[in-house]
Amino acid sequence: GFGSVWKVRKLFDEQVYALKQVRVLWGYCNALTRRMDREGQEALENARGEVVTLSSLHNKHIVGYYSAWMEEE
């Protein structure tokens, strides 16, 4: 997905990383049942697909992949 890439330094290990931030519109999510609508499910599947793909790439010309997480705003 498209997003912003930030040069960051992790406080714990003081290493420099590239952090990619992608904003995803999850669609309607019922707060009681935590169920997403179809658009939200598709967005989640697309984001997960990118994570799976990036985590499988290992090449000296590709920036290494370390972790992924989701946050609510």
Side-chain angles (χ1 to χ4, degrees):
F2 291 99
S4 301
V5 178
W6 304 89
K7 180 180 178 182
V8 299
R9 181 178 305 275
K10 193 172 181 181
L11 295 176
F12 184 73
D13 63 11
E14 297 184 0
Q15 295 297 307
V16 175
Y17 296 90
L19 173 73
K20 181 179 181 184
Q21 178 184 32
V22 178
R23 295 190 183 271
V24 177
L25 299 176
W26 300 104
Y28 175 74
C29 180
N30 184 316
L32 296 176
T33 63
R34 304 296 279 173
R35 292 187 181 171
M36 286 181 261
D37 65 9
R38 185 171 179 79
E39 289 181 24
Q41 288 290 341
E42 288 177 6
L44 183 59
E45 289 171 15
N46 288 340
R48 184 178 181 283
E50 181 175 346
V51 167
V52 170
T53 300
L54 289 174
S55 65
S56 69
L57 300 175
H58 303 285
N59 184 292
K60 66 180 182 179
H61 300 291
I62 298 174
V63 174
Y65 169 87
Y66 295 96
S67 183
W69 66 93
M70 294 179 2
E71 296 178 358
E72 293 183 35
E73 288 189 345

